[in-house]
Amino acid sequence: MNKTKARTEWTFRGNGRLLGASAITVRGVLDRVMENLNRDDRRAVVPLGQGDPSSFPCFRTAQVAEDAVVDAVRSAEFNCYAPTVGILPARRAIADHLSRDLPYKLSPDDVYLTIGGTQAIEVIVTALARPGANILLPRPGYPCYVARAALCGLEVRYFDLLPNRGWEVDLERMEDLADANTVAMVIINPGNPCGTVFSYQHLKEIAETARKLGIMVIADEVYDHLAFGDTPFVPMGVFASITPVLTVGSLSKRWIVPGWRLGWVATNDPNGFLKDTGVVESIVGFLNVSPDPTTFVQAAIPQILERTNEEFFLKVLRMLREGADICYDKIQEIPCLACPKRPEGSMFAMVKLNSSLLEDIEDDLDFCVKLAREESVLVLPGMALGMKNWLRITFAVEPSSLEDGLERMKAFCHRHVKKQHTGSIRSLEQYCNL
Ligand SMILES: *Cc1c(COP(=O)(O)O)cnc(C)c1O
């Protein structure tokens, strides 16, 4: 009897490290905003929160990519498990693909296939999380790194991206931030959430700073080549002779197939700095205890990388440039919002919210919640990215939908602007310009 009673005091508990995890992911915060959508609004929801344009017909992936996957399934040769690091033809195709932009050649052994860029982040962060270590992350940044570091017990330190310097990295402060236990810094280029593309010179300075600190650079290039402004995309691997670089890549964004779940880690290390550090062995160790990306998607990689035609990429770039321009120009017309820089890459713009001009809006989260409720428009509050009173807007949306969404945001702001200001909207706009 006593024994049974004792058993009702359960021994198990949820993992404390996971309890707060949803609060610091894009999906978790957007779910909170989405709970406020008004079901009675007959208008379509305009999704400017998550960067996933795959549901718009104008963003459909390349036909050769679809054919490659279908062929791989139909061949019945890829119903098997794959090797832990990925199948050789796929690794070779990715190595060749990346090498086209590098001053040295990657070998298939430098490439590890992962379940999207997300698992690539998990692999790298876990591989580096020795006790006491810390990692430098950009603010604003991509919350997945924060969540993953928290799960591994890796300390996070933030460096700023500077809005008044075109969102470049605050390199001057980096040296104060790092110490002997700092292992790496993360650079996202083209940038999520700022839509920036770093110049060759700035990337070189980043590599030199990392070298000085004795740390590696983790280059998140899941938006590689999605650069449509004046600054061309340069992979961080170009500077890997200065400091070692681990590149995070993915099919998700450039081919607009985030559901295919295929990404990679590439080790860029022509001088062999990583030798004897155990980093590569840790990556392989991690992959050995993890599931692999779907084998038939791996098998489709060579065809996808070698045969996707230039027209597809140009069309995507044209759509993104058009979206970025619509977004940037429209924001100029909205009181209380300001965008410090016209986006040149990726799928996002960071927009400053001046909530003091609004009557009943407390902060960015409140803005997004009420915008969802009143206008059925979804936008990500900056607090999810470590930037209170900013908003992240994706412009990778079918143009008429994007215009509709921004028009509704404008109506929303006009409706909520403080009454004593309604007569002077023009000067308010000027006031908001950073
Ligand atoms: C989308 C994204 C990822 C994750 O890529 P998936 O292939 O979708 O898992 C990683 N980093 C950044 C900056 C992203 O925007």
Side-chain angles (χ1 to χ4, degrees), residues 115-119 121 142 145 188 192 220 222-223 248 250 252-253 258 261-262 348:
I115 304 172
T118 305
Q119 197 195 28
I121 293 170
Y142 187 62
Y145 288 92
I188 304 170
N192 175 6
D220 186 327
V222 301
Y223 296 97
V248 173
S250 175
S252 302
K253 309 294 163 61
R261 308 311 304 132
L262 196 121
F348 305 99

mmCIF file of all heavy atoms in Angstrom, residues 115-119 121 142 145 188 192 220 222-223 248 250 252-253 258 261-262 348, ligand 1:
data_model
loop_
_atom_site.group_PDB
_atom_site.id
_atom_site.type_symbol
_atom_site.label_atom_id
_atom_site.label_comp_id
_atom_site.label_asym_id
_atom_site.label_seq_id
_atom_site.Cartn_x
_atom_site.Cartn_y
_atom_site.Cartn_z
ATOM 1 N N ILE A 115 19.890 17.456 -42.254
ATOM 2 C CA ILE A 115 18.449 17.636 -42.442
ATOM 3 C C ILE A 115 18.167 19.140 -42.415
ATOM 4 O O ILE A 115 17.857 19.717 -41.382
ATOM 5 C CB ILE A 115 17.666 16.870 -41.351
ATOM 6 C CG1 ILE A 115 18.081 15.395 -41.364
ATOM 7 C CG2 ILE A 115 16.160 17.009 -41.574
ATOM 8 C CD1 ILE A 115 17.515 14.584 -40.213
ATOM 9 N N GLY A 116 18.337 19.761 -43.569
ATOM 10 C CA GLY A 116 18.180 21.210 -43.683
ATOM 11 C C GLY A 116 19.336 21.958 -43.031
ATOM 12 O O GLY A 116 20.211 21.361 -42.377
ATOM 13 N N GLY A 117 19.324 23.281 -43.219
ATOM 14 C CA GLY A 117 20.325 24.120 -42.555
ATOM 15 C C GLY A 117 20.162 24.036 -41.042
ATOM 16 O O GLY A 117 21.124 24.200 -40.289
ATOM 17 N N THR A 118 18.943 23.764 -40.595
ATOM 18 C CA THR A 118 18.674 23.703 -39.155
ATOM 19 C C THR A 118 19.524 22.625 -38.481
ATOM 20 O O THR A 118 20.109 22.858 -37.421
ATOM 21 C CB THR A 118 17.176 23.425 -38.913
ATOM 22 O OG1 THR A 118 16.430 24.416 -39.602
ATOM 23 C CG2 THR A 118 16.833 23.451 -37.442
ATOM 24 N N GLN A 119 19.596 21.438 -39.110
ATOM 25 C CA GLN A 119 20.426 20.409 -38.480
ATOM 26 C C GLN A 119 21.916 20.742 -38.623
ATOM 27 O O GLN A 119 22.718 20.372 -37.753
ATOM 28 C CB GLN A 119 20.142 19.012 -39.052
ATOM 29 C CG GLN A 119 20.685 17.924 -38.124
ATOM 30 C CD GLN A 119 20.760 16.556 -38.764
ATOM 31 O OE1 GLN A 119 20.901 16.419 -39.985
ATOM 32 N NE2 GLN A 119 20.667 15.522 -37.942
ATOM 33 N N ILE A 121 23.135 23.647 -38.224
ATOM 34 C CA ILE A 121 23.377 24.500 -37.048
ATOM 35 C C ILE A 121 23.519 23.630 -35.792
ATOM 36 O O ILE A 121 24.424 23.813 -34.978
ATOM 37 C CB ILE A 121 22.228 25.525 -36.878
ATOM 38 C CG1 ILE A 121 22.249 26.505 -38.047
ATOM 39 C CG2 ILE A 121 22.324 26.247 -35.533
ATOM 40 C CD1 ILE A 121 21.027 27.421 -38.117
ATOM 41 N N TYR A 142 19.475 35.000 -35.854
ATOM 42 C CA TYR A 142 18.561 33.907 -36.160
ATOM 43 C C TYR A 142 18.423 33.067 -34.888
ATOM 44 O O TYR A 142 19.395 32.474 -34.426
ATOM 45 C CB TYR A 142 19.145 33.079 -37.310
ATOM 46 C CG TYR A 142 18.227 32.009 -37.830
ATOM 47 C CD1 TYR A 142 16.998 32.337 -38.403
ATOM 48 C CD2 TYR A 142 18.583 30.670 -37.758
ATOM 49 C CE1 TYR A 142 16.153 31.349 -38.883
ATOM 50 C CE2 TYR A 142 17.745 29.683 -38.238
ATOM 51 C CZ TYR A 142 16.534 30.031 -38.799
ATOM 52 O OH TYR A 142 15.695 29.055 -39.276
ATOM 53 N N TYR A 145 20.104 29.578 -33.348
ATOM 54 C CA TYR A 145 21.424 29.440 -32.717
ATOM 55 C C TYR A 145 21.323 29.567 -31.201
ATOM 56 O O TYR A 145 21.994 28.862 -30.455
ATOM 57 C CB TYR A 145 22.389 30.508 -33.255
ATOM 58 C CG TYR A 145 22.824 30.254 -34.677
ATOM 59 C CD1 TYR A 145 22.125 30.801 -35.747
ATOM 60 C CD2 TYR A 145 23.918 29.433 -34.947
ATOM 61 C CE1 TYR A 145 22.508 30.553 -37.058
ATOM 62 C CE2 TYR A 145 24.316 29.181 -36.252
ATOM 63 C CZ TYR A 145 23.604 29.742 -37.298
ATOM 64 O OH TYR A 145 23.983 29.484 -38.590
ATOM 65 N N ILE A 188 25.727 35.672 -40.718
ATOM 66 C CA ILE A 188 24.663 35.245 -41.632
ATOM 67 C C ILE A 188 24.693 36.165 -42.852
ATOM 68 O O ILE A 188 24.427 37.361 -42.743
ATOM 69 C CB ILE A 188 23.285 35.281 -40.943
ATOM 70 C CG1 ILE A 188 23.311 34.413 -39.680
ATOM 71 C CG2 ILE A 188 22.192 34.818 -41.902
ATOM 72 C CD1 ILE A 188 22.079 34.565 -38.789
ATOM 73 N N ASN A 192 19.749 37.337 -42.699
ATOM 74 C CA ASN A 192 18.453 37.219 -42.059
ATOM 75 C C ASN A 192 18.703 37.715 -40.641
ATOM 76 O O ASN A 192 19.572 37.152 -39.971
ATOM 77 C CB ASN A 192 17.990 35.765 -42.063
ATOM 78 C CG ASN A 192 16.702 35.544 -41.293
ATOM 79 O OD1 ASN A 192 16.078 36.490 -40.844
ATOM 80 N ND2 ASN A 192 16.334 34.283 -41.126
ATOM 81 N N ASP A 220 26.750 31.251 -42.058
ATOM 82 C CA ASP A 220 25.421 30.766 -42.424
ATOM 83 C C ASP A 220 25.080 31.367 -43.786
ATOM 84 O O ASP A 220 24.789 32.560 -43.898
ATOM 85 C CB ASP A 220 24.410 31.192 -41.349
ATOM 86 C CG ASP A 220 23.031 30.602 -41.591
ATOM 87 O OD1 ASP A 220 22.650 30.427 -42.763
ATOM 88 O OD2 ASP A 220 22.325 30.333 -40.594
ATOM 89 N N VAL A 222 22.721 30.081 -46.019
ATOM 90 C CA VAL A 222 21.533 29.429 -46.584
ATOM 91 C C VAL A 222 20.847 30.336 -47.622
ATOM 92 O O VAL A 222 20.050 29.850 -48.417
ATOM 93 C CB VAL A 222 20.515 28.974 -45.512
ATOM 94 C CG1 VAL A 222 21.124 27.994 -44.537
ATOM 95 C CG2 VAL A 222 19.907 30.138 -44.790
ATOM 96 N N TYR A 223 21.178 31.645 -47.623
ATOM 97 C CA TYR A 223 20.643 32.548 -48.659
ATOM 98 C C TYR A 223 21.705 32.834 -49.725
ATOM 99 O O TYR A 223 21.648 33.877 -50.390
ATOM 100 C CB TYR A 223 20.163 33.862 -48.027
ATOM 101 C CG TYR A 223 19.007 33.666 -47.086
ATOM 102 C CD1 TYR A 223 19.222 33.556 -45.710
ATOM 103 C CD2 TYR A 223 17.705 33.525 -47.559
ATOM 104 C CE1 TYR A 223 18.169 33.339 -44.838
ATOM 105 C CE2 TYR A 223 16.650 33.294 -46.699
ATOM 106 C CZ TYR A 223 16.885 33.211 -45.344
ATOM 107 O OH TYR A 223 15.841 32.977 -44.479
ATOM 108 N N VAL A 248 27.303 26.839 -43.439
ATOM 109 C CA VAL A 248 25.977 26.217 -43.358
ATOM 110 C C VAL A 248 25.268 26.500 -44.678
ATOM 111 O O VAL A 248 25.157 27.659 -45.088
ATOM 112 C CB VAL A 248 25.150 26.825 -42.203
ATOM 113 C CG1 VAL A 248 23.714 26.301 -42.212
ATOM 114 C CG2 VAL A 248 25.824 26.550 -40.866
ATOM 115 N N SER A 250 21.996 25.110 -47.659
ATOM 116 C CA SER A 250 20.678 24.478 -47.716
ATOM 117 C C SER A 250 20.064 24.635 -49.099
ATOM 118 O O SER A 250 20.355 25.602 -49.802
ATOM 119 C CB SER A 250 19.771 25.124 -46.676
ATOM 120 O OG SER A 250 18.469 24.636 -46.764
ATOM 121 N N SER A 252 16.838 24.887 -49.119
ATOM 122 C CA SER A 252 15.537 25.447 -48.737
ATOM 123 C C SER A 252 15.222 26.808 -49.342
ATOM 124 O O SER A 252 14.106 27.050 -49.789
ATOM 125 C CB SER A 252 15.453 25.570 -47.217
ATOM 126 O OG SER A 252 15.649 24.331 -46.602
ATOM 127 N N LYS A 253 16.186 27.724 -49.321
ATOM 128 C CA LYS A 253 15.885 29.099 -49.670
ATOM 129 C C LYS A 253 16.126 29.364 -51.153
ATOM 130 O O LYS A 253 15.279 29.935 -51.817
ATOM 131 C CB LYS A 253 16.726 30.055 -48.810
ATOM 132 C CG LYS A 253 16.649 29.774 -47.314
ATOM 133 C CD LYS A 253 15.277 30.011 -46.709
ATOM 134 C CE LYS A 253 15.047 29.373 -45.358
ATOM 135 N NZ LYS A 253 15.898 29.789 -44.255
ATOM 136 N N PRO A 258 11.801 24.376 -48.683
ATOM 137 C CA PRO A 258 12.190 24.113 -47.289
ATOM 138 C C PRO A 258 11.657 22.784 -46.766
ATOM 139 O O PRO A 258 12.216 22.222 -45.827
ATOM 140 C CB PRO A 258 11.607 25.308 -46.517
ATOM 141 C CG PRO A 258 10.562 25.888 -47.398
ATOM 142 C CD PRO A 258 11.007 25.622 -48.811
ATOM 143 N N ARG A 261 13.968 19.369 -46.757
ATOM 144 C CA ARG A 261 14.867 19.124 -45.631
ATOM 145 C C ARG A 261 16.251 18.657 -46.062
ATOM 146 O O ARG A 261 16.736 17.619 -45.594
ATOM 147 C CB ARG A 261 14.260 18.120 -44.629
ATOM 148 C CG ARG A 261 12.866 18.419 -44.121
ATOM 149 C CD ARG A 261 12.651 19.835 -43.632
ATOM 150 N NE ARG A 261 13.554 20.275 -42.597
ATOM 151 C CZ ARG A 261 14.194 21.449 -42.636
ATOM 152 N NH1 ARG A 261 14.068 22.277 -43.660
ATOM 153 N NH2 ARG A 261 14.973 21.792 -41.660
ATOM 154 N N LEU A 262 16.889 19.409 -46.924
ATOM 155 C CA LEU A 262 18.260 19.058 -47.255
ATOM 156 C C LEU A 262 19.202 20.249 -47.107
ATOM 157 O O LEU A 262 19.001 21.283 -47.745
ATOM 158 C CB LEU A 262 18.383 18.465 -48.665
ATOM 159 C CG LEU A 262 19.761 17.782 -48.712
ATOM 160 C CD1 LEU A 262 19.682 16.334 -49.017
ATOM 161 C CD2 LEU A 262 20.740 18.526 -49.548
ATOM 162 N N PHE A 348 14.257 39.377 -46.263
ATOM 163 C CA PHE A 348 13.734 40.114 -45.107
ATOM 164 C C PHE A 348 14.184 41.574 -45.051
ATOM 165 O O PHE A 348 15.254 41.923 -45.538
ATOM 166 C CB PHE A 348 14.191 39.446 -43.809
ATOM 167 C CG PHE A 348 13.825 37.998 -43.723
ATOM 168 C CD1 PHE A 348 14.760 37.023 -44.023
ATOM 169 C CD2 PHE A 348 12.537 37.619 -43.380
ATOM 170 C CE1 PHE A 348 14.414 35.680 -43.963
ATOM 171 C CE2 PHE A 348 12.190 36.295 -43.317
ATOM 172 C CZ PHE A 348 13.124 35.311 -43.605
HETATM 173 C C1 LIG B 1 15.996 29.215 -42.896
HETATM 174 C C2 LIG B 1 17.286 29.403 -42.226
HETATM 175 C C3 LIG B 1 18.035 28.308 -41.767
HETATM 176 C C4 LIG B 1 17.514 26.899 -41.781
HETATM 177 O O1 LIG B 1 17.494 26.316 -43.023
HETATM 178 P P1 LIG B 1 16.540 25.060 -43.318
HETATM 179 O O2 LIG B 1 17.164 24.434 -44.504
HETATM 180 O O3 LIG B 1 15.178 25.592 -43.558
HETATM 181 O O4 LIG B 1 16.579 24.155 -42.124
HETATM 182 C C5 LIG B 1 19.278 28.547 -41.188
HETATM 183 N N1 LIG B 1 19.753 29.797 -41.052
HETATM 184 C C6 LIG B 1 19.055 30.875 -41.465
HETATM 185 C C7 LIG B 1 19.642 32.235 -41.293
HETATM 186 C C8 LIG B 1 17.789 30.721 -42.051
HETATM 187 O O5 LIG B 1 17.089 31.793 -42.405
#
